[in-house]
Structure formats: structure tokens, C-alpha cells
Amino acid sequence: MKYDDSTPGRLGAFRPTRRQFVTGLATGGAALGLGLARAPASAGTPARRGGAALVTGTEFALDIGAMPVDITGRTRPAITVNDSLPAPTLRWREGDTVTVRVRNRLRDMTSIHWHGILLPSNMDGVPGLSFNGIAPGETFQYRFQLKQSGTYWYHSHSLFQEQAGLYGALIVDPREPAPYHYDREHVVLLSDWTDLDPAALYRRTKKMPEHDNYYQRTLVDFVRDARRDGLAETIADRGMWGRMRMTPTDISDINAHTYTYLVNGAAPAGNWTGLFKPGEKVLLRFINGSAMSYFDVRIPGLKMTVVAADGQYIHPVSVDEFRIAVAETFDVLVEPMGQDAFTIFAQDMGRTGYARGTLAVRDGLAAPIPSRDPRPLLTMADMAHDMGGHGAHKGMEGGCGAMMGEGGCGANMGAMDHGAHGATSNAPNHPASEAGNPLVDMQSSASEPKLDDPGIGLRDNGRQVLTYGAMHSLFEDPDGREPGRTVELHLTGHMEKFAWSFDGIPFASAEPLRLKYGERMRMVLVNDTMMQHPIHLHGVWSDLEDADGGFHLRKHTIDMPPGTRRSYRVRADALGRWAFHCHLLYHMEAGMMREVRIEA
Amino acid sequence: MKTHSPAPLGLVAAIALTLGFAVPASAQHHDHAHHRATTDAPTQDAHAHHDHAAMSQAEPATASTAPREPIPAITPEDLAAAFPDIDHHAMQHAPAFNHKVTFNRLEAWDADEGTGQAWEGSAWFGTDTDRLWLRSEGERMGGHTESADLEVLYGRSVSPWWEVMAGIRHDFKPGNARTWAAFGVQGMAPYRFEVSATAYVSDDGQVAANVEAEYTLRITNRLILQPLVEVDIAADDDPDYGIGRGVTGIEAGLRLRYEISRRFAPYVGVVHERALGDTADLRRLEGESVRDTRVVAGVRLWF
Ligand SMILES: [Cu+2]
């Protein structure tokens, strides 16, 4: 096993002695921060393009600072850790107690949250819940014992700092050998970069949420569709969306019109390259450290065997492609051979751009970059406005704005749908707080887990695409108890206001969700919006259930496509106040967050 | 800073489980384990009620199936670490207050009577549900301001798509300035028509109303046709201002803009305005025209 991206070693060894301008990412300049520049070529390879320093051990010092970077050809301010963007890759070991001293050289408060790591709540790094944050000039010492292994990541939990660059990969090596063999490994940390000040981007999004949607249906599309599908049908289709005041092209809020997508900090032109020798088994640790971007990842010419999700082993699944939600991680085995170079192609879910890297036998090689897939359109079925059922279509044409939350009309939809769907229906019981709520522009009428659905834009594309249904934890339910109670929460929002919440109640006015220490409860999420949301609960695992309510897949982040209802088990074995939120950064900041309080 | 060390706890608990809970608590000599929730009777110390609560909560399930991985007992250190004394304002939030200023129309035209300019804009400041609105509209002809008004309104969202508005409007022109109380609604109607309807009561007792509807028709994603209709209604004759009761006038516009960026879009358009009913008659008496069609050019911008 080789870590040829840089040199393992104590942090002190590569601590920068002077500020250095982080540059050249757009064109693929090699070193990012001094870590790489100083790395002796012990692994026999030059520094990779992009990538972050690797630090191992039990004692770490991280310096959070501001620094100019050049990702797109323009020099912009960024937040770096030890002068590196992304932050250094930390390599820990299961069972070890690690100490991380985080020093804040910014003018603002900061924090680091260890995403998916089980730890005491005062080490979790969420200002206002776990601790007071790290003040400018201060050093905060994190110290906790590792109870798990796998691929994770860490990031700031303070305002928009994560978007500005404060994120990095985290690997916890297992005490026991992994249940699979590999010869070499690479971290593939995907992220989104903007030259804008992230706070300004938030303000812009509040003013005009559809700013980046240059894909709305036009008169030109109307004429084309009318020729293809007939005028009546096209008018009916436009009418349906028009009555809802929605557009089927809202796949993502912010896309490549604003973002440059990165692999290990390198823009597509920078072509981050991970080396292999033909015949080697290579473990790729994919991490989506984006603020707002889902990626659909494939390596043309290679089958990928997914062996872990969110750091936890699964029964191996062989796929051609996977969608990685924000904050998820997937460990993937590949056996590159027969070609000198393979492209790692990660197009954004809205098909507006891509992140790209290369697996190659030596530096400087490249393989063809596939063209982006056609841009998908949301359908009524995506939003669980089932058009196929008896009477459901009629419902859509109802005068009350279909399923829209106009003056409580939507609140009746559960009952209305009841007849249409029968016993298999999961007609949701919408919370009273959604009815007539100005911040809730839509409710789904009948939602299902859809665990076997590859998702919008990935269906029937001729490739084998990973689904939640195809992933099973390699272990049995570690808790084993049936949940003692069920809590149902609805993901809600208003597209035009860019307002996001649970049950129509934004974080600022929401009460904490209280769990009893030791209890096993079932969380049911229903997505009442047309966007996809990765929902992350700090402190404890989210054990996704299969369609029958059985233990299926241990995760820390549960992806919630539009129109889904998914349930997971929570074992409340960590006392304290934990954040529970959508991991789309701007959705969280706009209110899609709750405190979960696990009390004795 | 304390280190959480669940391993010994887990071990002890596992032993306890293996022995079928038969081991008395006192036998498990471990500094963290002396009041474990998973053992039998809660002890009498200060923390007993916590353990008991945790236990009874889990009881329905544990009675038949205890967790495979035991739940570690709570120690005072755990509790202290879990609920530290912290400043709840430490969490910084994105601003709840936001704003947007839009100049929907900033345009000029060249007519027989000379050049004219017009503006129509709005601005909001506030939260997702409560906003202060400023709206202004006006027209200049040949260097004179023909009409100009400013509205200051409080808007409150009452449903996902509608906001009720209340405030004042001040007309600087035409004629003598006057002030109105304003009440109305604005929002997005089905099919994405942007609609506003406002009723006004002036300080001299006149009652009037204005209804406006606007639509965004995308020819391409940057070339956008914007039809607009505006109707004015007066409840009484208002001769000082050349107004007769009923529908006083209607304005229809069709503007074609090109969004160079989202924030900045030049446009060309055609606007038709006509006076109706008694108002038209009054105009005719004055020898003024009752209808006007003009070609305009302008920009739409927001920030
Ligand atoms: Cu979200």
C-alpha cells in the first residue's frame, strides 16, 4: 500500500514557515501549500497536481488562515488550513485518541466539525451547540478517541467558511484489516469553488434563486414539444407546471454558471492525476465536500466496486456510475489496466459542468473526457405527484393549485390520495405547521422510499448505476432493537424565496427534537420539495431502513431525492446537543436545520 | 478536555449481558460503571434518576431484545461534556434580513411632443415573510415631470404566493401633491402571472384602485418577452386631476429584453396607453389625446 500523494509524517515536519500564494490550480500547477512542495519523493513520484498534504499520527496542529488562491484564473480570497485548499488529509487510526489543536488566524470566528465521526458532543465543533467556536487568535484543542474506521471528511461549521475552502479529507485506518485487498489508494475529494464571496452568493440566491437556471423551458422548446407530443399535450404539461408555479428544470440551485468543480482542489484543466501500475487494485476514496453540488461519477473503461459508504463497509457492489450526494463518501475499488490513462468524470447533477481527474501510469497523461449527459427534466412522478394512478391526474387539475400549499388546500392531499393509491400508499400525514404556511410552496402527495431508483438523469442511461437499494451494510444491525417510536419530519421549502425548513419551521423558530439517551427511534423523512437534500445527523449513525422497515445501510448522511419518503433508525447513544440539517450549505443557512438533543 | 473511553465500558457491559444481568452492580468494579443503565436496580445516588429514565425509555424494546451493542452508562463526566455551558449566540446565522432593488423599467422614447422618460421600480427589505416595500413609478416629458409617485408599504406573506400590503402612497405629480392610504395584495398567480392589486384612499376623500399583471415569456433563456397590463379605476369624479369615475385608463406594454447578465438587461418595447370612459371625455374636452402608442427603449436591472 502506498500513499504517493505526499509524505506521511508529523505535522510539524511540514508546517509552513511563511505564507505562500496558492496558485496554478486552473492550469494544473503542482504544489498546493508547502506540504506537497516539501514532500520528499519517497514514494518515487513527483508531487501530484492538486491534492492536499497527508498528515498521520495522533497529534495535529491545524492553522486556519485566509489566503489568496487562483482557481479560475482570477486571484480570490480563500480560507485554507496549513496554507492548503483543500485542507490536509488527516490519517487517523481506529482506537487511537487524537489531539488536534486548531488555531484561528482569521478575523472571524471559526470551527471544525468532524463529519461522521462519533465523539463527545463538546468535540463536535458546532458553534452554539457543542462549543463557543474558535475566536480569532485562539487555539482550540480537540481530543477524542476513535471508535470507527473509514473515509470521512472535516469542514468548518461556521457560516459560509466551508464554501470558501475549509474542508479536507479524513481517513481512519481500521484496527482489523479491511475485508478487501488493495495495492494503492487515492483520495478523490470533489468540491465546488466560486470566485464570489460565499456570503454574497447567499444574498444573490435570496434575491434570485433561479439565477443560474439558464435551462428553463422556452417558447422554442414549446414549439419543439408541440410538434413532437402534440399541441394539446404540450399545453396540458405547461399548464400543470404553470399552475404549480414551478419549473421542471430546477435540478440544482447553483451550478457551473457560478461554480468550478474540483478534484482534490484542482479544476478540470488542472487534471489531478492519481498514479497506478497496471494490474494493481486501487482504492479510491470518494468524498463529496461540496457546498451545494451533487456529482454523478464514472470512470469510462472501468467497473467500480463500491465497498464502503459513509465510511462503513458494505457488500461489494459493481457499478459503472454512482451519484454522490453532498457530504457522502464512497470507497471504490478499481483495477485499471489495458490503458495508460482513465478519466475520473464527475458531472454535476444538473449537467452544467464537471469535475475531472485522471488515473494514469505516469504524470502528464490524459484520457478522453466524455460529453455531459443530456440535462434531465423533473417529472410529476419525481415529485411524488403520481400521474399514473386513478384520479390522481384529476387531482392535479383541481382548482386548488394541485398539491401546492395554497391556503391549506395541500393539507387535504393526503386524504385525497388515499383512495387513489390503496394499501401500498404512503400517503403522508402532513404536519399542521405546513398548512397555509407562506414558507411551504409544495407538498408531495404520495411518497415512497425509491431505494432502487438511480435518480433523476440516471435512469435507463445504459449504465449500471449505484442505488441505496443495492448497498447493504456488511454487518447486521449493530443495535438490533426495533425502534420504540417514530418521528416524522417533512423537508419543506419555498423556491421563490429560497426559504428552507423542516415541517415549514425554519431553524431560528424551531424547538429541539428531544431523544432519550439509549432509545432506538425511527426517523421518517418526507421530501415535500422539488429539490434533493442530503440530510445529516451529527453524533450518531443514521441506519437506513429497507422498504420493509428492516436495517439496511449504516450512513451518516441520507440523500432525499424529491418525492421520497425514507426511514432510518437512530440509536441515541451519544448525549448532547447535535446538529441535524440539510448538507446543502445554503439550505442549512436558510433554515433547513434542527437541534437534536439527546438527554439523559 | 476529557477523553471519552467507551471501550472498557463496552467490555463491562458485554460481560454483564453475557451473564444475563446476573452480576450485581457492585461486582463490576469500574469507575464508570457503578450506575449503569443496563443493570438492575438504580442506585440511590444523585444521578440515579437519569439512569432510570434512560432505562424506562428503552424498556419496551430491551425487555425482549437488548441492544446487541450495549448502551454505555452515563457518567457525570459524560453529562458535563454533553451539555457544556455555552453561549447560544455562538452560532452565527446567515442574515434573516435581505433586500432587493429592482428597476423593472428605466426607459425613454421619442415622440411628437418631445422626448420622454419613465421609470418603474420596487425594492424590498426584510425577512421571508415580512417586508418593507418601496414602489415608485413616474414619467417625464420634454424635461417636465408629468407624474411621479412613491409608495411605502408593509407586506406580510399570508400564503405561499400572496402578500398583503398596507401603507401610504404619495403622488408628487400630476397636479397638486396628495397622499393616499394604500391596501392591497401582490404575489404570483397560477401560471406564474405576477399580479398586484391595490386600493387607495386619498387625504381628500378620493377612492381609487390599480391592478397590474405581468408575465415572463422566455423565447430563449436570455431573450425574454414581458407583457404587462395595468388598469386604473376611480370611485368618483376627480375633475381637478382630470379623472372621471369608473375605469379611467389602461396601459399595455410589451417589452423584449436580452439578459446580458441576470442583473442587467436592455430592452425595446411598445407601450399603448389610453384613457377610458368619463376620463377620456374629460381629456377630449381639454383637447388632449386619449390614446398614445410609443416605442420605448430601456434597461431592466436589479441589485
Ligand atoms: Cu436542502
Side-chain angles (χ1 to χ4, degrees):
Chain A
M1 216 183 299
K2 277 186 238 157
Y3 314 125
D4 52 8
D5 281 332
S6 70
T7 311
R10 287 296 167 112
L11 187 68
F14 75 94
R15 193 131 185 209
T17 51
R18 64 180 174 88
R19 304 257 114 181
Q20 195 189 20
F21 181 72
V22 177
T23 187
L25 288 168
T27 50
L32 227 188
L34 292 177
L36 278 178
R38 286 194 179 175
S42 60
T45 55
R48 293 281 76 73
R49 290 156 192 257
L54 174 71
V55 209
T56 62
T58 55
E59 307 264 330
F60 301 85
L62 301 181
D63 254 31
I64 299 179
M67 212 176 167
V69 301
D70 177 0
I71 304 267
T72 62
R74 295 169 65 198
T75 301
R76 305 296 303 162
I79 298 179
T80 55
V81 177
N82 296 349
D83 293 348
S84 173
L85 184 164
T89 297
L90 305 183
R91 188 141 207 149
W92 297 344
R93 190 153 179 255
E94 183 182 6
D96 280 0
T97 294
V98 289
T99 305
V100 189
R101 274 177 290 274
V102 178
R103 178 164 176 186
N104 181 5
R105 293 181 181 275
L106 301 172
R107 276 190 226 134
D108 303 310
M109 299 289 290
T110 192
S111 59
I112 285 183
H113 163 62
W114 316 97
H115 187 109
I117 301 294
L118 308 175
L119 35 63
S121 70
N122 57 349
M123 296 288 113
D124 195 47
V126 179
L129 293 182
S130 336
F131 74 149
N132 286 330
I134 310 170
E138 263 188 14
T139 298
F140 182 82
Q141 180 172 278
Y142 290 91
R143 188 175 155 83
F144 46 88
Q145 193 184 21
L146 297 164
K147 311 176 189 176
Q148 68 203 107
S149 63
T151 304
Y152 302 91
W153 65 300
Y154 63 103
H155 59 82
S156 169
H157 226 286
S158 299
L159 274 177
F160 305 108
Q161 291 175 2
E162 181 195 310
Q163 176 82 85
L166 213 177
Y167 52 85
L170 186 57
I171 300 167
V172 185
D173 284 317
R175 286 267 159 192
E176 301 291 324
Y180 43 82
H181 163 81
Y182 56 99
D183 306 298
R184 184 191 289 263
E185 64 174 78
H186 295 290
V187 166
V188 184
L189 172 55
L190 303 167
S191 63
D192 47 24
W193 168 263
T194 173
D195 278 349
L196 296 172
D197 167 19
L201 177 54
Y202 179 80
R203 291 194 298 272
R204 186 192 84 183
T205 307
K206 287 298 276 190
K207 290 175 216 251
M208 189 186 190
E210 73 274 28
H211 183 283
D212 275 1
N213 187 353
Y214 282 99
Y215 310 91
Q216 302 200 41
R217 295 198 293 181
T218 63
L219 197 60
V220 174
D221 298 328
F222 181 89
V223 171
R224 185 203 57 211
D225 292 357
R227 284 213 181 117
R228 191 187 57 204
D229 308 326
L231 185 63
E233 188 168 324
T234 305
I235 290 175
D237 171 72
R238 298 305 196 267
M240 207 158 57
W241 288 96
R243 275 190 294 281
M244 291 162 57
R245 305 139 166 116
M246 299 270 163
T247 123
T249 59
D250 276 324
I251 309 291
S252 52
D253 298 305
I254 303 169
N255 61 33
H257 288 275
T258 298
Y259 283 142
T260 301
Y261 301 120
L262 310 181
V263 171
N264 294 331
N271 193 23
W272 172 85
T273 300
L275 297 189
F276 70 90
K277 290 197 181 96
E280 277 183 334
K281 271 198 172 186
V282 182
L283 179 70
L284 301 175
R285 299 178 182 269
F286 283 95
I287 301 165
N288 189 349
S290 295
M292 292 294 284
S293 308
Y294 279 67
F295 292 103
D296 294 336
V297 181
R298 61 188 206 266
I299 308 175
L302 292 183
K303 274 275 175 194
M304 301 185 283
T305 304
V306 186
V307 293
D310 289 3
Q312 300 293 294
Y313 299 132
I314 62 168
H315 290 280
V317 197
S318 177
V319 296
D320 300 313
E321 184 170 22
F322 60 84
R323 169 163 293 171
I324 186 166
V326 173
E328 285 186 322
T329 76
F330 291 120
D331 289 4
V332 167
L333 285 175
V334 292
E335 292 180 71
M337 60 174 87
Q339 284 173 225
D340 282 351
F342 296 86
T343 296
I344 300 173
F345 182 69
Q347 55 184 341
D348 74 312
M349 184 163 63
R351 313 290 182 244
T352 63
Y354 58 85
R356 167 251 189 162
T358 296
L359 295 177
V361 294
R362 61 178 182 278
D363 247 337
L365 297 180
I369 300 172
S371 53
R372 281 175 269 140
D373 287 341
R375 197 181 149 83
L377 283 180
L378 286 164
T379 64
M380 289 290 157
D382 281 315
M383 295 152 67
H385 294 171
D386 186 0
M387 304 308 296
H390 352 230
H393 193 274
K394 212 173 161 204
M396 286 306 300
E397 290 175 344
C400 69
M403 318 310 181
M404 303 308 103
E406 179 82 78
C409 177
N412 300 323
M413 294 312 300
M416 191 171 144
D417 251 39
H418 191 71
H421 290 271
T424 57
S425 162
N426 271 317
N429 220 349
H430 290 294
S433 53
E434 278 187 41
N437 187 324
L439 303 180
V440 179
D441 65 6
M442 187 185 118
Q443 290 174 305
S444 60
S445 55
S447 47
E448 286 161 9
K450 295 188 186 173
L451 295 175
D452 298 318
D453 179 11
I456 174 119
L458 292 177
R459 299 171 194 127
D460 307 313
N461 64 4
R463 301 187 287 265
Q464 186 76 38
V465 181
L466 185 70
T467 62
Y468 272 12
M471 291 187 283
H472 298 262
S473 285
L474 196 57
F475 42 86
E476 275 185 73
D477 179 359
D479 184 273
R481 287 173 296 169
E482 278 303 306
R485 66 179 175 125
T486 295
V487 172
E488 182 168 323
L489 279 175
H490 288 221
L491 318 184
T492 47
H494 195 295
M495 301 291 290
E496 300 286 328
K497 297 177 190 215
F498 200 73
W500 301 100
S501 53
F502 288 107
D503 285 0
I505 305 166
F507 180 68
S509 28
E511 282 294 307
L513 174 61
R514 289 163 198 277
L515 308 190
K516 258 296 177 204
Y517 180 78
E519 82 166 306
R520 180 82 157 157
M521 54 84 72
R522 173 179 289 124
M523 184 79 84
V524 175
L525 297 182
V526 175
N527 188 348
D528 275 342
T529 78
M530 54 189 295
M531 307 300 285
Q532 196 149 337
H533 309 274
I535 303 296
H536 173 47
L537 173 57
H538 291 216
V540 292
W541 291 111
S542 299
D543 291 330
L544 184 72
E545 294 183 327
D546 59 27
D548 303 321
F551 173 84
H552 180 71
L553 179 65
R554 174 156 277 197
K555 293 197 93 261
H556 53 54
T557 305
I558 304 281
D559 188 27
M560 290 294 299
T564 55
R565 168 198 187 85
R566 290 179 171 176
S567 65
Y568 54 95
R569 299 169 173 209
V570 173
R571 168 186 154 100
D573 59 359
L575 280 178
R577 304 172 64 203
W578 304 99
F580 174 55
H581 60 91
C582 177
H583 222 287
L584 299 182
L585 181 63
Y586 298 107
H587 286 194
M588 175 178 81
E589 286 297 339
M592 198 179 259
M593 177 159 171
R594 282 282 167 104
E595 175 187 341
V596 166
R597 200 176 288 186
I598 302 181
E599 293 168 315
Chain B
M1 216 64 49
K2 86 175 263 296
T3 308
H4 195 79
S5 53
L9 277 178
L11 184 65
V12 169
I15 293 167
L17 280 171
T18 314
L19 299 180
F21 300 99
V23 185
S26 58
Q28 304 165 27
H29 186 70
H30 185 281
D31 56 354
H32 284 175
H34 61 275
H35 41 254
R36 294 190 326 104
T38 43
T39 47
D40 38 19
T43 51
Q44 296 302 309
D45 71 23
H47 296 283
H49 67 282
H50 292 298
D51 292 348
H52 185 65
M55 182 174 162
S56 54
Q57 178 66 29
E59 220 149 36
T62 45
S64 51
T65 50
R68 289 196 185 102
E69 275 176 13
I71 303 283
I74 300 169
T75 67
E77 293 83 359
D78 292 339
L79 270 174
F83 299 99
D85 226 2
I86 56 173
D87 174 8
H88 298 301
H89 298 291
M91 190 182 295
Q92 298 159 282
H93 296 285
F97 265 72
N98 290 281
H99 74 274
K100 184 181 187 181
V101 179
T102 307
F103 288 96
N104 194 23
R105 291 175 256 157
L106 269 182
E107 64 196 22
W109 63 91
D110 201 7
D112 297 342
E113 315 89 71
T115 57
Q117 299 89 37
W119 74 87
E120 188 261 321
S122 64
W124 62 259
F125 309 84
T127 66
D128 292 335
T129 52
D130 297 83
R131 288 175 176 176
L132 175 74
W133 282 88
L134 302 180
R135 301 196 302 211
S136 177
E137 202 167 349
E139 208 175 291
R140 288 168 64 81
M141 279 295 294
H144 293 279
T145 301
E146 300 275 309
S147 66
D149 67 56
L150 175 68
E151 291 177 85
V152 182
L153 304 154
Y154 165 66
R156 184 177 172 82
S157 297
V158 292
S159 85
W161 305 107
W162 298 102
E163 188 169 8
V164 295
M165 317 279 284
I168 57 163
R169 174 176 122 189
H170 185 77
D171 290 351
F172 301 92
K173 290 276 172 96
N176 294 327
R178 62 175 160 173
T179 303
W180 309 73
F183 312 92
V185 294
Q186 74 177 24
M188 192 185 277
Y191 305 99
R192 301 183 70 91
F193 285 96
E194 283 176 61
V195 176
S196 86
T198 318
Y200 301 97
V201 182
S202 76
D203 47 10
D204 54 5
Q206 173 66 292
V207 176
N210 171 282
V211 179
E212 211 176 309
E214 194 180 299
Y215 189 71
T216 300
L217 180 70
R218 287 184 180 77
I219 297 168
T220 72
N221 266 281
R222 288 183 189 266
L223 187 65
I224 294 162
L225 194 63
Q226 183 197 50
L228 178 146
V229 180
E230 192 176 342
V231 178
D232 285 302
I233 301 156
D236 283 306
D237 290 335
D238 203 358
D240 290 353
Y241 293 86
I243 299 285
R245 66 178 297 178
V247 177
T248 61
I250 181 164
E251 180 182 327
L254 198 57
R255 290 171 177 81
L256 182 67
R257 70 171 185 264
Y258 185 80
E259 292 192 346
I260 293 172
S261 78
R262 287 297 197 197
R263 292 169 190 266
F264 182 81
Y267 64 80
V268 293
V270 55
V271 180
H272 179 76
E273 233 181 316
R274 69 165 66 183
L276 294 169
D278 294 351
T279 308
D281 294 341
L282 283 169
R283 288 239 187 145
R284 282 192 199 97
L285 282 174
E286 296 285 324
E288 291 175 20
S289 66
V290 296
R291 62 182 66 184
D292 178 35
T293 303
R294 55 183 187 256
V295 173
V296 300
V299 292
R300 179 182 191 275
L301 50 97
W302 59 264
F303 51 87

